Amino acid sequence: MKSGSGSPFDDFDEDEEEEEAPEPETESTIDADSQETDSSESSLDDGLPYKYQRENIQDGRNRANLFLRDEAEADIERLIEVMEDEFESEAVYKIDVLEAALIAAAGNPASVSEELREMGYGMK
């Protein structure tokens, strides 16, 4: 490109555009992209607990909007305080407590169904 003159595209040859046009995304391109994603996910599975594998709080997590009633939000805040007391030498993040609570609840479906009944499920 000539210094200080015109557009950076002045030297662009239209014939070159046809020859060097970017290839459309093919399976191999997509596979390369997914391998990149897979490798970043697999880096979170090296035998260490999740807390020590991640570079930041969002690593390996999908975004999920969560709408909570005031009562549930207060319960989570109390649970965070309990966990901070339990692990007093470490910072305990709300997202970790929420995820742990969901995993624990998934392991105890009876407590989840009990809570859903209190919400009004099963009243038909």
Side-chain angles (χ1 to χ4, degrees), residues 10-106:
D10 286 348
D11 294 332
F12 185 77
D13 184 0
E14 288 185 20
D15 293 335
E16 286 181 22
E17 178 183 14
E18 290 176 15
E19 293 172 16
E20 295 180 20
E23 294 179 25
E25 197 167 282
T26 62
E27 284 186 39
S28 62
T29 307
I30 293 169
D31 288 344
D33 291 341
S34 65
Q35 285 175 354
E36 189 174 307
T37 302
D38 291 344
S39 67
S40 68
E41 288 174 6
S42 65
S43 69
L44 290 177
D45 190 18
D46 61 4
L48 292 173
Y50 173 67
K51 179 183 177 196
Y52 298 106
Q53 294 177 32
R54 65 187 184 203
E55 290 183 29
N56 65 53
I57 197 76
Q58 296 176 353
D59 276 358
R61 288 186 164 137
N62 297 317
R63 177 177 284 287
N65 289 333
L66 183 61
F67 299 97
L68 300 172
R69 293 176 291 147
D70 290 340
E71 176 185 321
E73 184 67 30
D75 288 343
I76 291 295
E77 293 303 322
R78 281 192 293 277
L79 186 55
I80 291 169
E81 289 174 11
V82 169
M83 293 301 108
E84 286 176 337
D85 289 344
E86 175 78 18
F87 302 102
E88 60 189 44
S89 65
E90 300 176 66
V92 178
Y93 297 102
K94 183 176 186 175
I95 188 66
D96 289 336
V97 173
L98 281 167
E99 186 172 20
L102 286 169
I103 292 168

Side-chain angles (χ1 to χ4, degrees), residues 69 71 75 110-123:
R69 293 176 291 147
E71 176 185 321
D75 288 343
S111 68
V112 175
S113 66
E114 181 182 326
E115 189 62 38
L116 286 170
R117 287 184 204 298
E118 288 181 25
M119 292 174 135
Y121 283 86
M123 296 183 82

